[in-house]
Amino acid sequence: MPIVTVSLADRSYPIVIEPGSLSRVGAFMAEYARPHGVLVVSNPAIAEQYGELVLASLQAVGIPACMALVPPGDRAKSLRNAERLIDRAVAERLDRTSAVLALGGGVIGDLAGFVAAIYLRGVSFIQVPTSLLAQVDASVGGKTAVNHRAGKNLVGCFHQPRLVVIDPCVLETLPRREVGAGLAEMVKHGVILDASYFIRLESGMRRLRALDQDELTEAIAGSCALKASVVAADEREAGRRALLNYGHTFGHALETVTCYRRYKHGEAVALGMEMAAMLSQDLGLLSHEDALRQRELLRAAGLPVAVKRASHITVDGLLAAMEHDKKVVRGRLRFVLAKRIGAGFVADDIPVDAVRSVCRRFLESER
């Protein structure tokens, strides 16, 4: 059973990765957190599959719990839904010794974590991610947020979990697009952080897509370890952690102009990674060979690497969305680019004309 530790002094926490661990959530909480009450946040579909199992595991160790449901989809990340969850916490008389548990994907984790951060000035937070994307990315690192009409994740804060429990078995019920969305974040970790991990994904992608439990467990642990090392070095994204935004400046813009409806988050990140690779090549940083390796691995993961020409996405629309991105620093867009596989870096001095050129050529290209 791999256990990855996010090292943050007295706020360090374990990430437990084990097939079948969903039935032991209560036991892990008794060992690592021990709250006196728990608000489990989920959506109807996930709660129907796993809600009773998690509640029973909490009951078995004497931890009282209740469940609150929110609608599925990224638009559930709203201030209104956060307020509704707080209303439920108040009605259940949850106090500062209580915890909020996120049972679901990245949307649930972001929303539930935000509620845990602001309720009573902060209560314990537990992540039980049920999507691959959440398991390898969103559940690790303490970023919480809701969306604003001007852009994605504009209202939020950092609030680290006390515990993350990852059960790869739940991925067997995940739609194929959702699996691909998580694989995009894993590819991202390889591109920006670790060439050997990228090579491992190249050799193991077929088994990962087939949901081989041994391959998944080790690959998920590898991604979590890479992200944990970055978070430990730069918790609040003052420097190195910004590397994790590779593909996200372009990707978030694509999500914004399509109203979060056309692409899964990981699909948008995959497209954003392709645009970031184009920009890296234009600036003479990334070789054609490495850009092609990235593209082929994304394809092997079943991810899109181009948009349809009739998609009605415009260059001006993308640029306008980027201007509202939370990664804008002192009026300058911040991009994560790649020098080679395994070597990402942050740049905030990219000419707008270069970005415009990438957007135009990407929207016109067929790959």
Side-chain angles (χ1 to χ4, degrees):
M1 176 180 68
I3 297 180
V4 175
T5 299
V6 181
S7 299
L8 292 169
D10 61 344
R11 292 177 298 111
S12 298
Y13 57 93
I15 306 168
V16 178
I17 306 122
E18 180 184 21
S21 58
L22 209 64
S23 64
R24 299 180 59 206
V25 167
F28 290 124
M29 288 182 65
E31 180 177 356
Y32 293 109
R34 199 69 197 185
H36 292 158
V38 177
L39 176 66
V40 178
V41 179
S42 192
N43 69 37
I46 295 169
E48 183 177 359
Q49 287 182 301
Y50 307 119
E52 288 188 9
L53 182 64
V54 171
L55 290 175
S57 77
L58 293 170
Q59 183 180 13
V61 295
I63 300 176
C66 61
M67 182 169 288
L69 303 181
V70 298
D74 201 74
R75 292 199 294 173
K77 285 170 52 175
S78 68
L79 286 169
R80 180 63 185 128
N81 279 328
E83 184 179 22
R84 287 171 176 155
L85 292 175
I86 291 171
D87 288 344
R88 180 64 184 278
V90 171
E92 297 290 339
R93 299 183 181 276
L94 296 183
D95 59 24
R96 288 182 177 174
T97 67
S98 303
V100 176
L101 186 153
L103 176 64
V107 169
I108 294 295
D110 281 0
L111 175 61
F114 181 65
V115 169
I118 63 175
Y119 181 62
L120 299 178
R121 297 191 176 96
V123 297
S124 293
F125 178 43
I126 313 297
Q127 284 269 26
V128 184
T130 59
S131 72
L132 182 57
L133 188 148
Q135 290 178 351
V136 301
D137 188 69
S139 66
V140 181
K143 282 188 175 181
T144 76
V146 294
N147 298 331
H148 184 273
R149 62 180 174 274
K152 186 180 176 72
N153 297 333
L154 292 184
V155 184
C157 55
F158 289 90
H159 189 63
Q160 298 293 342
R162 291 283 302 278
L163 167 69
V164 181
V165 179
I166 294 175
D167 185 347
C169 290
V170 303
L171 303 180
E172 294 175 357
T173 62
L174 212 61
R176 301 297 294 177
R177 283 183 70 189
E178 294 284 0
V179 173
L183 291 171
E185 295 287 353
M186 298 167 79
V187 173
K188 178 196 77 175
H189 290 154
V191 173
I192 59 171
L193 295 172
D194 191 329
S196 63
Y197 183 70
F198 187 92
I199 292 170
R200 174 173 185 156
L201 293 177
E202 286 179 314
S203 65
M205 186 55 72
R206 183 174 297 179
R207 292 187 297 278
L208 288 171
R209 292 194 72 192
L211 302 180
D212 178 276
Q213 288 298 307
D214 290 337
E215 191 73 26
L216 276 170
T217 299
E218 292 303 316
I220 291 169
S223 248
C224 287
L226 286 171
K227 182 162 184 182
S229 67
V230 172
V231 171
D234 178 23
E235 181 183 2
R236 297 300 182 99
E237 203 170 301
R240 182 171 171 77
R241 184 167 179 173
L243 288 174
L244 298 172
N245 290 320
Y246 182 63
H248 283 61
T249 301
F250 288 115
H252 281 173
L254 285 166
E255 288 181 295
T256 298
V257 299
T258 57
C259 301
Y260 308 105
R261 292 175 179 170
R262 180 169 300 167
Y263 301 112
K264 301 292 183 182
H265 176 65
E267 293 172 341
V269 168
L271 293 168
M273 288 169 62
E274 281 297 284
M275 298 174 79
M278 286 178 66
L279 184 54
S280 299
Q281 284 185 280
D282 288 353
L283 297 173
L285 301 167
L286 185 68
S287 70
H288 173 75
E289 179 184 4
D290 280 351
L292 184 60
R293 285 179 68 195
Q294 173 186 282
R295 186 179 311 150
E296 291 307 311
L297 188 54
L298 291 172
R299 277 196 178 122
L303 288 157
V305 294
V307 297
K308 294 180 180 179
R309 288 195 178 187
S311 63
H312 306 296
I313 301 171
T314 67
V315 172
D316 288 341
L318 289 174
L319 291 173
M322 289 183 212
E323 289 177 359
H324 293 287
D325 194 281
K326 65 185 184 300
K327 292 177 288 298
V328 173
V329 179
R330 292 187 292 275
R332 290 187 174 187
L333 276 173
R334 172 178 285 184
F335 289 92
V336 181
L337 305 177
K339 296 178 181 178
R340 60 184 179 279
I341 298 297
F345 73 103
V346 179
D348 59 6
D349 57 352
I350 307 301
V352 173
D353 287 346
V355 179
R356 181 180 291 275
S357 175
V358 166
C359 292
R360 177 182 55 78
R361 287 181 287 124
F362 188 76
L363 294 179
E364 293 174 352
S365 68
E366 292 187 3
R367 298 171 173 230

